[in-house]
């Protein structure tokens, strides 16, 4: 008889590489996750040729790389590495309390990920690119992040990897939360200046699309195509008025007739940590300075008499400033 391994045994490590082809030797951070450990991806194919036999003559391997879709809590230290990997550029100022400002770069850094799988298996994944990072929030809940990462080189490890900092997610905190957040949103003005308290949940997604790993003369890919840098968000809000609806279809928050005018709005979301509030030295701010904010499906009647909700979406384009800026305040010296 044996004792079964528990499915909740898992760990994720991450580090920024110095260059493509130079896998990091030590994880900068280890942190827990909800799901989505890195995994090798392999393509095997049958040999489809004419023959005198009724059987498939053989198989061959055409490609191998790795992918990861981790969902994990947004923690005050390690989230900076994920933001650096997604945005590409960071500027850090201050001592003791440090402000890190993340902005889009043409070429983001490569990352190395490590994964501890249930059953105590350790693996290392080099030359990865974070091509999507989504940060979601919901009433009363800690913030969550979901990433999409793809890379060239998976490998198996005989033992646990080394790490500089292991960041815990437990009762004592600290972790970013939606409780106490300051949410600014304007449908027809920039930058965002109006604080709203009607957003129940939402997700802000940053991506590079289309993203592709390109294989040439090796089993593993050796090149990447980054596509366009984009930011979008989706919010579920309590109904307050029809201003966002009017701005969507009638050219302004006071509009009354059909209009081709695209109103320019903005968001500015500031999150603090729990359970001990520390807004002055632990915060995460995400700013979209120019966005098309719209109500794609206006509220309809519901005989169930539930609350009237608005589903609000926003999309970005290149204006006079960056599409999106992330500002993280913590005690980490640099990323």
């Amino acid at each position: 008889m044996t004792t079964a391994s528990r499915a909740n045994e898992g760990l994720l490590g991450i580090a920024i590489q110095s260059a493509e082809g130079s896998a990091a030797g030590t994880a900068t951070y280890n942190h827990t996750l909800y799901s989505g450990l890195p995994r090798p991806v392999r393509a095997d194919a049958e040999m489809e040729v004419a023959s005198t036999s009724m059987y498939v003559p053989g198989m061959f391997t055409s490609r191998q790389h790795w992918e990861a879709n981790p969902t994990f809590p947004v923690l005050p230290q390690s989230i900076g590495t994920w933001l650096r990997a997604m945005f590409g550029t960071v500027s850090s100022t201050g001592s003791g309390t440090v402000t890190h400002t993340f902005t889009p770069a043409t070429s983001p850094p490569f990352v190395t990920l490590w994964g501890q799988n249930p059953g105590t298996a350790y693996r290392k994944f080099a030359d990865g690119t974070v091509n999507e990072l989504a940060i979601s929030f919901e009433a009363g809940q800690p913030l969550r992040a979901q990433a999409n990462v793809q890379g060239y080189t998976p490998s198996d490890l005989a033992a646990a990897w080394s790490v500089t900092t292991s960041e815990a997610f437990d009762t004592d905190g600290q972790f970013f939360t939606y409780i106490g957040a300051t949410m600014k949103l304007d449908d027809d003005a920039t930058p965002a200046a109006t604080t709203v308290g009607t957003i129940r949940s939402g997700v802000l997604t940053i991506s590079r699309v289309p993203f592709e790993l390109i294989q040439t003369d090796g089993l593993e890919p050796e090149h990447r195509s980054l596509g366009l840098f984009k930011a979008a968000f989706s919010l579920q809000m309590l109904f307050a008025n029809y201003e966002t609806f009017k701005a969507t279809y009638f050219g302004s928050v006071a509009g009354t007739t059909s209009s081709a005018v695209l109103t320019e709005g903005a968001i500015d979301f500031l999150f603090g940590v729990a359970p001990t509030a520390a807004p002055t030295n632990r915060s995460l701010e995400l700013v979209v300075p120019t966005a098309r904010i719209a109500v794609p499906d206006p509220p309809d009647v519901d005989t169930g008499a539930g609350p009237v909700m608005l589903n609000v979406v926003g999309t970005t384009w290149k204006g006079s400033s960056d599409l999106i800026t992330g500002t993280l305040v913590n005690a980490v010296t640099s990323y």
Side-chain angles (χ1 to χ4, degrees):
M1 305 292 287
T2 60
T3 300
S5 298
R6 296 193 310 273
N8 71 325
E9 295 177 334
L11 193 65
L12 185 64
I14 183 171
I16 302 291
Q17 293 184 190
S18 60
E20 181 178 9
S22 299
T26 299
T28 306
Y29 292 101
N30 282 350
H31 62 79
T32 189
L33 72 165
Y34 298 104
S35 63
L37 282 166
R39 63 198 182 280
V41 177
R42 181 183 179 96
D44 296 331
E46 294 180 348
M47 293 177 173
E48 297 179 342
V49 295
S51 71
T52 59
S53 169
M54 64 180 288
Y55 305 110
V56 173
M59 297 184 68
F60 66 95
T61 299
S62 61
R63 177 186 174 99
Q64 184 161 292
H65 66 286
W66 64 268
E67 297 179 0
N69 296 99
T71 301
F72 50 92
V74 179
L75 304 178
Q77 298 181 70
S78 56
I79 190 60
T81 302
W82 288 98
L83 291 170
R84 165 77 192 288
M86 182 69 245
F87 280 88
T89 299
V90 60
S91 173
S92 301
T93 59
S95 177
T97 298
V98 185
T99 299
H100 311 278
T101 303
F102 300 88
T103 52
T106 302
S107 183
F110 286 85
V111 299
T112 300
L113 297 187
W114 290 260
Q116 177 187 331
N117 290 67
T120 319
Y122 303 99
R123 301 188 176 102
K124 182 176 180 178
F125 303 85
D127 293 313
T129 299
V130 179
N131 60 81
E132 183 174 285
L133 182 65
I135 295 178
S136 60
F137 51 89
E138 184 178 353
Q141 299 298 310
L143 268 61
R144 292 191 180 199
Q146 183 173 21
N148 184 283
V149 196
Q150 297 182 43
Y152 306 158
T153 315
S155 60
D156 204 63
L157 300 176
W161 61 89
S162 58
V163 60
T164 301
T165 301
S166 292
E167 194 171 23
F169 178 54
D170 57 26
T171 304
D172 295 331
Q174 293 177 339
F175 49 84
F176 283 112
T177 176
Y178 188 37
I179 295 175
T182 300
M183 313 293 282
K184 295 180 181 179
L185 181 151
D186 281 288
D187 304 306
D188 194 8
T190 61
T194 305
T195 300
V196 297
T198 54
I199 303 174
R200 183 160 71 176
S201 62
V203 59
L204 177 60
T205 303
I206 313 160
S207 59
R208 295 178 186 270
V209 290
F211 176 82
E212 182 183 359
L213 296 181
I214 302 171
Q215 179 186 13
T216 53
D217 58 357
L219 173 65
E220 297 162 345
E222 297 172 312
H223 314 273
R224 65 180 183 179
S225 175
L226 295 172
L228 299 175
F229 189 94
K230 295 186 176 183
F233 52 89
S234 176
L235 310 172
Q236 186 185 55
M237 304 180 63
L238 287 168
F239 174 82
N241 53 53
Y242 275 106
E243 288 187 353
T244 309
F245 171 84
K246 289 185 177 184
T248 301
Y249 300 98
F250 303 137
S252 72
V253 296
T256 58
T257 59
S258 293
S259 174
V261 173
L262 287 175
T263 57
E264 294 185 3
I267 62 171
D268 183 338
F269 296 163
L270 176 64
F271 304 98
V273 294
T276 303
T280 58
N281 59 15
R282 298 289 186 277
S283 64
L284 174 63
E285 185 175 19
L286 299 168
V287 177
V288 177
T290 305
R292 164 61 167 170
I293 299 175
V295 177
D297 298 303
D300 202 352
V301 294
D302 180 2
T303 57
V308 179
M309 305 298 298
L310 286 176
N311 291 317
V312 176
V313 300
T315 55
T316 60
W317 64 89
K318 181 58 180 174
S320 59
S321 57
D322 289 306
L323 294 183
I324 180 172
T325 300
T327 303
L328 176 65
V329 178
N330 59 23
V332 177
T333 303
S334 65
Y335 288 100

Short mmCIF file of all heavy atoms in Angstrom, two decimals, residues 30 52 102 130 143 161 164 168 179 200 202 209 211 234 278 282-283 299 304 316:
data_model
loop_
_atom_site.label_atom_id
_atom_site.label_comp_id
_atom_site.label_asym_id
_atom_site.label_seq_id
_atom_site.Cartn_x
_atom_site.Cartn_y
_atom_site.Cartn_z
N ASN A 30 10.18 32.64 -5.26
CA ASN A 30 9.25 31.52 -5.25
C ASN A 30 7.93 32.02 -4.69
O ASN A 30 7.91 32.80 -3.73
CB ASN A 30 9.74 30.39 -4.35
CG ASN A 30 10.82 29.54 -4.99
OD1 ASN A 30 11.11 29.66 -6.18
ND2 ASN A 30 11.44 28.68 -4.20
N THR A 52 2.68 -0.77 -48.52
CA THR A 52 1.98 -2.02 -48.82
C THR A 52 1.36 -2.62 -47.57
O THR A 52 0.75 -3.68 -47.64
CB THR A 52 2.96 -3.03 -49.44
OG1 THR A 52 4.04 -3.26 -48.52
CG2 THR A 52 3.51 -2.52 -50.76
N PHE A 102 6.57 50.93 -14.27
CA PHE A 102 6.69 50.00 -15.39
C PHE A 102 6.01 50.59 -16.62
O PHE A 102 4.85 51.03 -16.55
CB PHE A 102 6.04 48.66 -15.04
CG PHE A 102 6.65 47.99 -13.84
CD1 PHE A 102 6.18 48.26 -12.56
CD2 PHE A 102 7.70 47.09 -13.98
CE1 PHE A 102 6.73 47.65 -11.45
CE2 PHE A 102 8.26 46.47 -12.87
CZ PHE A 102 7.78 46.76 -11.60
N VAL A 130 6.72 36.39 -21.32
CA VAL A 130 5.38 36.63 -20.79
C VAL A 130 4.63 37.45 -21.83
O VAL A 130 4.90 38.64 -22.01
CB VAL A 130 5.44 37.36 -19.44
CG1 VAL A 130 4.02 37.61 -18.91
CG2 VAL A 130 6.24 36.55 -18.42
N LEU A 143 -6.33 40.19 -4.79
CA LEU A 143 -6.13 40.28 -6.23
C LEU A 143 -5.50 38.99 -6.75
O LEU A 143 -4.70 38.35 -6.06
CB LEU A 143 -5.22 41.46 -6.57
CG LEU A 143 -5.90 42.80 -6.88
CD1 LEU A 143 -6.71 43.29 -5.68
CD2 LEU A 143 -4.87 43.85 -7.29
N TRP A 161 15.33 23.74 -6.80
CA TRP A 161 16.19 24.82 -7.26
C TRP A 161 16.51 25.77 -6.10
O TRP A 161 15.84 25.76 -5.06
CB TRP A 161 15.51 25.57 -8.40
CG TRP A 161 14.20 26.20 -8.00
CD1 TRP A 161 13.99 27.45 -7.48
CD2 TRP A 161 12.89 25.61 -8.09
NE1 TRP A 161 12.65 27.67 -7.25
CE2 TRP A 161 11.95 26.57 -7.60
CE3 TRP A 161 12.41 24.37 -8.53
CZ2 TRP A 161 10.57 26.30 -7.56
CZ3 TRP A 161 11.05 24.12 -8.47
CH2 TRP A 161 10.15 25.08 -7.99
N THR A 164 16.26 33.16 -4.08
CA THR A 164 16.67 34.29 -3.25
C THR A 164 15.62 34.62 -2.20
O THR A 164 15.92 34.79 -1.02
CB THR A 164 16.96 35.53 -4.11
OG1 THR A 164 17.99 35.21 -5.06
CG2 THR A 164 17.40 36.70 -3.26
N ALA A 168 5.42 34.34 0.92
CA ALA A 168 4.28 33.56 1.40
C ALA A 168 2.95 34.27 1.12
O ALA A 168 2.89 35.50 1.07
CB ALA A 168 4.41 33.30 2.89
N ILE A 179 -10.24 45.24 -1.18
CA ILE A 179 -10.79 46.00 -0.06
C ILE A 179 -9.96 47.27 0.15
O ILE A 179 -8.74 47.20 0.29
CB ILE A 179 -10.81 45.14 1.23
CG1 ILE A 179 -11.77 43.97 1.07
CG2 ILE A 179 -11.19 45.99 2.44
CD1 ILE A 179 -11.78 43.01 2.24
N ARG A 200 -18.01 46.17 -8.96
CA ARG A 200 -18.04 44.94 -8.17
C ARG A 200 -16.87 44.03 -8.48
O ARG A 200 -16.32 43.38 -7.59
CB ARG A 200 -19.36 44.20 -8.39
CG ARG A 200 -19.49 42.95 -7.53
CD ARG A 200 -20.92 42.49 -7.39
NE ARG A 200 -21.46 41.93 -8.62
CZ ARG A 200 -22.68 41.40 -8.71
NH1 ARG A 200 -23.48 41.37 -7.65
NH2 ARG A 200 -23.12 40.93 -9.86
N GLY A 202 -13.65 43.08 -11.80
CA GLY A 202 -13.08 43.44 -13.08
C GLY A 202 -11.77 42.75 -13.35
O GLY A 202 -11.21 42.08 -12.47
N VAL A 209 0.12 40.66 -28.87
CA VAL A 209 -0.57 39.77 -29.79
C VAL A 209 -0.41 40.26 -31.23
O VAL A 209 -0.37 41.46 -31.48
CB VAL A 209 -2.07 39.67 -29.44
CG1 VAL A 209 -2.28 38.92 -28.14
CG2 VAL A 209 -2.71 41.06 -29.35
N PHE A 211 1.38 36.63 -30.58
CA PHE A 211 2.70 36.17 -30.14
C PHE A 211 2.96 34.79 -30.73
O PHE A 211 2.07 33.94 -30.76
CB PHE A 211 2.76 36.11 -28.62
CG PHE A 211 4.06 35.55 -28.10
CD1 PHE A 211 5.17 36.36 -27.99
CD2 PHE A 211 4.18 34.21 -27.77
CE1 PHE A 211 6.38 35.86 -27.54
CE2 PHE A 211 5.38 33.70 -27.31
CZ PHE A 211 6.48 34.52 -27.20
N SER A 234 -12.27 44.90 -18.46
CA SER A 234 -13.69 44.58 -18.39
C SER A 234 -14.13 44.75 -16.94
O SER A 234 -13.48 44.22 -16.02
CB SER A 234 -13.93 43.15 -18.87
OG SER A 234 -15.30 42.79 -18.72
N ALA A 278 -1.19 49.38 4.64
CA ALA A 278 0.08 50.13 4.57
C ALA A 278 0.12 50.88 3.25
O ALA A 278 0.97 50.63 2.41
CB ALA A 278 1.26 49.17 4.69
N ARG A 282 3.23 50.17 0.50
CA ARG A 282 2.89 48.97 -0.24
C ARG A 282 1.66 49.27 -1.08
O ARG A 282 0.54 49.29 -0.58
CB ARG A 282 2.58 47.78 0.69
CG ARG A 282 3.72 47.34 1.59
CD ARG A 282 4.82 46.65 0.79
NE ARG A 282 5.83 46.10 1.69
CZ ARG A 282 6.84 46.78 2.21
NH1 ARG A 282 6.98 48.06 1.91
NH2 ARG A 282 7.70 46.20 3.02
N SER A 283 1.84 49.50 -2.36
CA SER A 283 0.69 49.80 -3.21
C SER A 283 0.98 49.38 -4.64
O SER A 283 2.13 49.26 -5.07
CB SER A 283 0.34 51.30 -3.17
OG SER A 283 1.40 52.08 -3.71
N PRO A 299 -28.33 47.53 -20.17
CA PRO A 299 -29.14 46.74 -19.25
C PRO A 299 -30.52 46.41 -19.82
O PRO A 299 -31.14 47.23 -20.50
CB PRO A 299 -29.27 47.67 -18.03
CG PRO A 299 -28.16 48.63 -18.16
CD PRO A 299 -27.91 48.81 -19.61
N GLY A 304 -36.68 38.57 -12.53
CA GLY A 304 -36.18 38.12 -11.23
C GLY A 304 -35.92 39.26 -10.27
O GLY A 304 -35.66 39.04 -9.09
N THR A 316 -7.61 50.23 -25.55
CA THR A 316 -6.63 51.31 -25.64
C THR A 316 -6.09 51.48 -27.05
O THR A 316 -6.19 50.59 -27.89
CB THR A 316 -5.45 51.04 -24.70
OG1 THR A 316 -4.82 49.81 -25.09
CG2 THR A 316 -5.90 50.94 -23.26
#
